[in-house]
């Protein structure tokens, strides 16, 4: 968990990257269009480049650094690796954070539903098919875990910001 005093006009993306040194949150468009800066705020994906850091006061923000737990990759990360859902990797953290709440629900989605979930994230390297396959694999794993009573992977507290 992190806690800092910040300038009132500092963007959350700048706070995460420059004040905390957590560089997994990428800034692409700086207008909230590409999704590369997506973080999870109180369980919901948000664009950190359109949010002021002071708006996070007292709230829980998870960045991509918080996905792994004790050095073990999260199910989403494993699936993106296994299905080659990343190319250069710049957009991947935003995809992962957009998908985290869906993964945590532990339900299966069809291909078109997955495409709808990721429709706000842009990738310039892929044709999205491998990303969709990665998501399908991860969601199936999460659903299997939920059905068995184990529950899906949970992010660590390492990249929580207050």
């Amino acid at each position: 968990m992190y806690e800092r005093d910040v300038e009132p006009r500092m963007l959350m993306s700048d706070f995460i990257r420059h004040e905390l040194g957590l560089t997994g949150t990428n800034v692409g468009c700086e207008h909230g269009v590409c999704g590369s800066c997506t973080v999870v705020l109180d369980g919901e994906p948000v664009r950190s480049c359109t949010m002021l850091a002071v708006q996070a006061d007292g709230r829980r923000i998870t960045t991509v650094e918080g996905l792994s737990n004790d050095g073990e990759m999260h199910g989403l990360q494993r699936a993106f690796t296994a299905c080659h859902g990343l190319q250069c990797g710049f957009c991947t953290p935003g995809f992962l954070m957009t998908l985290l709440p869906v993964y945590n629900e532990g339900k299966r989605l069809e291909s078109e539903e997955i495409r709808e979930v990721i429709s706000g994230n842009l990738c310039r390297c892929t044709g999205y098919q491998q990303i969709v396959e990665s998501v399908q694999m991860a969601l199936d794993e999460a659903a299997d875990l939920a059905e068995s009573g184990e529950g899906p992977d949970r992010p660590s507290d390492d990249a929580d910001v207050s």
Side-chain angles (χ1 to χ4, degrees):
M1 174 156 345
Y2 299 93
E3 190 171 322
R4 304 277 196 292
D5 290 330
V6 297
E7 293 295 322
R9 292 183 287 182
M10 178 177 277
L11 293 174
M12 178 52 87
S13 57
D14 291 337
F15 175 71
I16 291 167
R17 291 183 60 78
H18 303 297
E19 296 294 317
L20 300 181
L22 300 172
T23 57
T25 301
N26 295 313
V27 179
C29 68
E30 298 185 79
H31 299 290
V33 176
C34 73
S36 294
C37 69
T38 304
V39 297
V40 174
L41 173 69
D42 293 336
E44 295 297 321
V46 297
R47 306 292 203 243
S48 65
C49 76
T50 61
M51 175 184 175
L52 297 173
V54 296
Q55 292 175 287
D57 187 31
R59 302 174 80 185
R60 182 182 178 106
I61 294 182
T62 304
T63 67
V64 70
E65 287 87 352
L67 281 182
S68 65
N69 203 348
D70 292 327
E72 292 291 320
M73 284 196 302
H74 186 274
L76 284 165
Q77 293 169 311
R78 288 192 304 271
F80 266 69
T81 301
C83 296
H84 308 286
L86 56 125
Q87 295 293 313
C88 79
F90 188 83
C91 65
T92 304
F95 275 99
L96 295 173
M97 300 316 291
T98 296
L99 293 161
L100 183 60
V102 177
Y103 180 91
N104 287 341
E105 289 176 13
K107 64 181 183 181
R108 300 177 199 282
L109 296 179
E110 298 297 322
S111 177
E112 287 307 310
E113 294 171 303
I114 292 170
R115 289 181 182 279
E116 178 66 28
V117 170
I118 64 172
S119 66
N121 293 75
L122 302 177
C123 175
R124 294 185 174 124
C125 299
T126 71
Y128 294 91
Q129 185 56 40
Q130 290 161 308
I131 293 172
V132 172
E133 290 171 7
S134 300
V135 176
Q136 189 75 66
M137 174 187 247
L139 295 183
D140 286 347
E141 175 189 291
D144 289 345
L145 289 170
E147 289 167 5
S148 72
E150 292 182 45
D153 294 348
R154 295 293 180 190
S156 71
D157 290 334
D158 293 343
D160 285 342
V161 179
S162 294

